[in-house]
Amino acid sequence: MTALFNLLPEAVGTIDADSKQAILEQLANRFAQVYGLDPVLVLERIEEREKLGSTGFGRGVAIPHARIPELARPVAAFFRLASPVSFDAADGMPVDMVFGLLSPEGAGAAHLHALAAISRMMRDEQMHAALGEAPGAEAIYALLANVIDRDAA
């Protein structure tokens, strides 16, 4: 989808979750289903990263990320939450959008570039509002794909 990471339509959706742990578990399962990864390994790696510090970066957004050995290139998933959930974010606000990223274990700069692109996209006020108002997964994916493709050009 982009030079930085793959985001497939099946990796985008709205979920119900009542805790940070429930979000991370659903994220690991979605990565496993869509990209054929081991859900136990994905959850383990994401949890290891969260122990270093919350990936809740503020303004209602979290970007859980990790590096795993099974990948050839970075992959992403996006969840809009049915209701906000506490995520130990830097600004103390609960999150209602989660953009997950997994990269190959040896992907140093590639992982950082993908994180930076996601961060820029999620800080954009218009994009943030549009994602919150989108009627469903197809519309959310269309918004994300449009911005990712535009920024890659």
Side-chain angles (χ1 to χ4, degrees):
M1 158 167 225
T2 171
L4 297 174
F5 57 86
N6 282 345
L7 176 66
L8 298 176
E10 302 82 23
V12 174
T14 299
I15 64 163
D16 281 309
D18 60 1
S19 68
K20 178 179 180 176
Q21 186 63 34
I23 293 168
L24 298 180
E25 288 170 5
Q26 288 191 52
L27 188 61
N29 287 331
R30 185 68 61 102
F31 274 121
Q33 292 166 355
V34 175
Y35 299 108
L37 302 171
D38 175 359
V40 174
L41 176 64
V42 172
L43 181 60
E44 189 176 280
R45 293 292 176 99
I46 290 173
E47 287 174 338
E48 284 174 14
R49 171 55 190 84
E50 286 297 321
K51 287 178 186 172
L52 299 175
S54 177
T55 57
F57 91 31
R59 296 187 47 245
V61 177
I63 308 176
H65 56 277
R67 296 176 190 180
I68 62 171
E70 301 174 22
L71 286 175
R73 66 179 311 232
V75 294
F78 180 87
F79 289 153
R80 183 173 62 188
L81 305 181
S83 57
V85 173
S86 176
F87 207 89
D88 304 319
D91 63 0
M93 300 294 293
V95 302
D96 58 4
M97 292 183 206
V98 177
F99 209 127
L101 176 69
L102 297 177
S103 295
E105 207 155 40
H111 182 72
L112 296 176
H113 288 303
L115 276 174
I118 292 168
S119 175
R120 277 191 304 276
M121 183 180 359
M122 299 310 295
R123 278 195 313 259
D124 181 275
E125 291 293 333
Q126 289 179 320
M127 181 62 161
H128 193 268
L131 289 169
E133 296 167 4
E138 285 182 18
I140 292 169
Y141 177 77
L143 285 165
L144 293 171
N146 186 36
V147 169
I148 293 166
D149 290 344
R150 179 195 71 210
D151 289 352

